[in-house]
Amino acid sequence: MKTLNQIYRYTADCHFSDEDWQRVLEYCRKRFKGGKIHKALYPKADSTYRQFRKWIETGFGAGDMVSYGNTMGIVSSSTPASIVLAAYCDYEGNLIVNDMEVLEPQRLQALEEPRITELRKLVFEKGLDFQVRTGKFNKIYTPQKYFYATIEYPNSDEVGVGMYLESDNSNHHFLAYLYGNKLQMDCWIDSNYTPLRQATEADIKRLHAATSKNGLSYNERVHQFIKTPQKGKNNVYWYLNDRFELVMDRDNGAKKHQERWDAGNYILDFTEGLLFMKEVKKMRGKA
């Protein structure tokens, strides 16, 4: 079966009759509950709905890793007329990043799992990331610490999103990481040489919705997800006043409490508050 991104690539390369195009749209509505695909502006080949469904079931799509005789490669585009590889290995095992039309498409076979990892590693080590929607390579994305990143797992429309900390090769350390309904905190994720990508606003909101559901919110002052105080229940906290004194208050849901929270001047632990007061006074020469 194909992902929505692979269908996007196929339909961007193929021309359909009006009747067949409506059937393609209906298929996507039923399977993906929507999905933005558009008629090809510069089609490379013609396709019927029947050919489209055959490709869905048994064909190769953009991003699929395949073997071709003794070598292997990554599919760039696939139409009823041709299959083009975006990169392939020569007989010495070197990765060649260049479009190559497959002369005998019937010889293509799905790559076995151990060789898939091998090919992903070759691409990863070149600092490249294959984009299924464009059928092209981009430079690999390396996020800054505390930035958000996603992992788009191959052959899946499910995207993992997390707040990035550091990397060790293709193992990535996240302060928080969400995949499906599973939220993990302060964890290492093995991407199996799948590149990180920049998170969208929707991805970031999805992550924070999950942390909020678990009673956590991100505190930028300490760069940590901490337990969210319950508003309106007279919870005790401490803050620094305009004379840099540590003051206790109770959160009753008023605006001033939220403003202190947003400013990072909302401390749940008294000892932490004393240390914070000391550091602030030291920085301002008042210690």
Side-chain angles (χ1 to χ4, degrees):
M1 301 298 285
K2 302 294 180 290
T3 65
L4 182 59
N5 280 336
Q6 287 179 311
I7 290 174
Y8 178 94
R9 181 73 263 137
Y10 181 93
T11 55
D13 287 332
C14 294
H15 172 264
F16 294 86
S17 69
D18 290 341
E19 180 181 352
D20 281 352
W21 179 247
Q22 292 305 314
R23 296 177 71 186
V24 169
L25 293 178
E26 181 63 20
Y27 172 87
C28 290
R29 279 192 291 267
K30 286 182 177 179
R31 182 177 164 197
F32 300 105
K33 310 300 181 186
K36 294 182 180 180
I37 62 172
H38 307 281
K39 277 191 172 183
L41 294 176
Y42 306 104
K44 300 176 181 177
D46 291 327
S47 177
T48 64
Y49 178 73
R50 184 176 179 180
Q51 288 172 317
F52 167 76
R53 288 305 303 270
K54 182 180 179 182
W55 169 79
I56 288 284
E57 299 296 334
T58 62
F60 293 109
D64 282 344
M65 295 189 174
V66 296
S67 64
Y68 184 69
N70 294 323
T71 188
M72 54 186 176
I74 302 172
V75 175
S76 169
S77 66
S78 176
T79 71
S82 68
I83 295 179
V84 176
L85 302 183
Y88 54 92
C89 291
D90 62 19
Y91 291 112
E92 283 74 41
N94 301 306
L95 184 69
I96 309 299
V97 180
N98 191 38
D99 285 353
M100 181 186 78
E101 184 173 350
V102 179
L103 299 180
E104 300 176 80
Q106 68 276 10
R107 293 180 58 195
L108 289 179
Q109 294 184 13
L111 203 60
E112 303 87 352
E113 194 60 39
R115 298 186 75 197
I116 287 177
T117 300
E118 180 186 346
L119 184 51
R120 281 187 192 148
K121 184 178 180 182
L122 288 172
V123 175
F124 188 88
E125 289 174 344
K126 273 190 174 288
L128 297 175
D129 177 16
F130 183 77
Q131 307 283 319
V132 172
R133 283 206 160 209
T134 62
K136 302 293 182 184
F137 286 100
N138 287 343
K139 287 185 178 179
I140 207 167
Y141 170 65
T142 303
Q144 296 180 43
K145 191 174 184 179
Y146 302 122
F147 277 47
Y148 298 91
T150 61
I151 301 176
E152 298 182 17
Y153 294 94
N155 303 316
S156 172
D157 289 310
E158 195 77 59
V159 176
V161 57
M163 179 175 280
Y164 176 82
L165 294 176
E166 59 183 323
S167 292
D168 180 8
N169 202 3
S170 69
N171 292 306
H172 308 295
H173 188 192
F174 293 97
L175 189 58
Y177 182 77
L178 177 69
Y179 182 66
N181 295 319
K182 183 179 180 182
L183 177 67
Q184 299 179 69
M185 307 302 296
D186 193 16
C187 59
W188 284 87
I189 301 296
D190 183 359
S191 72
N192 195 25
Y193 301 105
T194 300
L196 295 176
R197 292 184 181 168
Q198 192 167 0
T200 65
E201 191 67 30
D203 291 323
I204 296 170
K205 288 181 178 178
R206 187 160 53 88
L207 176 63
H208 282 284
T211 56
S212 178
K213 184 178 179 181
N214 283 268
L216 300 168
S217 61
Y218 182 62
N219 187 313
E220 290 190 11
R221 181 173 63 83
V222 296
H223 292 300
Q224 291 291 330
F225 283 89
I226 63 176
K227 283 289 183 182
T228 305
Q230 299 297 311
K231 305 296 183 182
K233 293 185 179 179
N234 294 323
N235 285 311
V236 171
Y237 73 98
W238 289 264
Y239 71 97
L240 296 188
N241 63 16
D242 56 1
R243 294 186 297 276
F244 308 107
E245 299 168 334
L246 189 64
V247 181
M248 187 192 82
D249 205 344
R250 292 182 184 273
D251 190 339
N252 61 4
K255 183 179 179 181
K256 64 179 181 180
H257 304 296
Q258 185 62 49
E259 289 175 344
R260 290 170 187 162
W261 174 264
D262 292 340
N265 191 18
Y266 191 116
I267 305 158
L268 300 179
D269 181 80
F270 179 69
T271 302
E272 181 189 339
L274 289 175
L275 294 172
F276 180 52
M277 178 182 67
K278 182 179 179 180
E279 286 299 316
V280 171
K281 285 186 175 182
K282 183 178 180 181
M283 286 188 293
R284 299 184 67 87
K286 296 181 180 293

